Amino acid sequence: MREDELATRVVEHFRAAFDDVEIHLEEPYDHYGNRGVADVYVRVRTPEPVDYLIELKADAAVRHATGANEILRQYRRMERYFYKDDEHAIRTKLGREGPGVHALLLFAPTRRCVEHVREHAALYESVDPDATVEGVEAVRKVAFLTNLDRASEGELGFLSLNGPLAFDSVPFREAVPSGSRLADALWGDD
């Protein structure tokens, strides 16, 4: 599975799930030499703006990375510098309910990604889900994508790796949708 396939599903999901949405692919940022690209940057209005900064990882990215540290460094760099770029301002809002930013590191539901995450589960599980970005409440989520086939219906989902369910624990396994690509990647030959 390629990252462009994942990006397509993410775009389909946000278009179906929200009425007022701005979507930018490969959105660059640059803050005093701290350059990078967010794979997908989405702003929805519910009614206040809520942003989704998304780093996608499919087989090729996992295969070419030197390890989980490199992937996490890229993800954290995006979170740290994206909003310092003048083009991507986000403001605190009085009365905002819930997070204003969702910083997502999303893995493809493939055997290669599962093997990578299994090998480095402790690192991905250690990402603190609670954050603040430029004074705005944020949530960090490291997860496998699920429901890819229902993305165009606004039902793309994810199974968190840094939430309350430890990777490969019984509750995690029970949360994997049966018959899904993720289930096949986790237990395809079991």
Side-chain angles (χ1 to χ4, degrees):
M1 177 165 275
R2 297 183 332 256
E3 283 183 17
D4 60 345
E5 293 174 80
L6 299 178
T8 298
R9 295 302 199 294
V10 167
V11 168
E12 289 172 347
H13 167 77
F14 278 99
R15 284 185 179 159
F18 296 97
D19 291 327
D20 191 0
V21 62
E22 285 178 47
I23 301 170
H24 304 271
L25 298 172
E26 299 296 320
E27 182 69 11
Y29 60 88
D30 184 3
H31 176 70
Y32 296 111
N34 293 298
R35 295 185 183 126
V37 174
D39 289 329
V40 184
Y41 166 52
V42 178
R43 177 167 281 175
V44 300
R45 286 173 180 74
T46 63
E48 67 267 352
V50 177
D51 287 0
Y52 295 82
L53 283 178
I54 304 169
E55 182 66 33
L56 299 169
K57 294 299 174 198
D59 292 354
V62 167
R63 183 174 49 249
H64 295 296
T66 58
N69 282 341
E70 179 183 342
I71 290 171
L72 287 168
R73 191 170 28 254
Q74 184 180 17
Y75 167 67
R76 295 304 295 268
R77 180 184 194 95
M78 174 187 70
E79 174 191 330
R80 188 174 297 119
Y81 296 114
F82 188 83
Y83 290 105
K84 291 187 184 305
D85 182 315
D86 293 336
E87 297 293 316
H88 306 109
I90 189 163
R91 290 178 232 106
T92 57
K93 261 192 114 49
L94 295 176
R96 179 188 295 274
E97 295 201 19
V101 176
H102 295 264
L104 307 174
L105 171 56
L106 303 175
F107 287 94
T110 64
R111 189 167 302 265
R112 183 178 298 276
C113 288
V114 165
E115 289 169 2
H116 168 81
V117 168
R118 186 172 279 130
E119 182 179 345
H120 305 289
L123 295 176
Y124 292 119
E125 290 171 344
S126 73
V127 174
D128 186 356
D130 300 319
T132 302
V133 174
E134 298 299 304
V136 174
E137 181 185 349
V139 172
R140 292 185 197 105
K141 190 71 68 180
V142 180
F144 282 110
L145 283 164
T146 63
N147 301 335
L148 290 172
D149 297 331
R150 296 197 320 258
S152 62
E153 300 161 27
E155 294 185 23
L156 186 68
F158 50 80
L159 186 54
S160 179
L161 298 164
N162 68 323
L165 307 180
F167 179 68
D168 259 353
S169 67
V170 171
F172 181 91
R173 287 173 166 258
E174 290 172 348
V176 174
S178 62
S180 67
R181 293 179 194 203
L182 183 56
D184 289 345
L186 283 163
W187 313 298
D189 295 326
D190 289 357

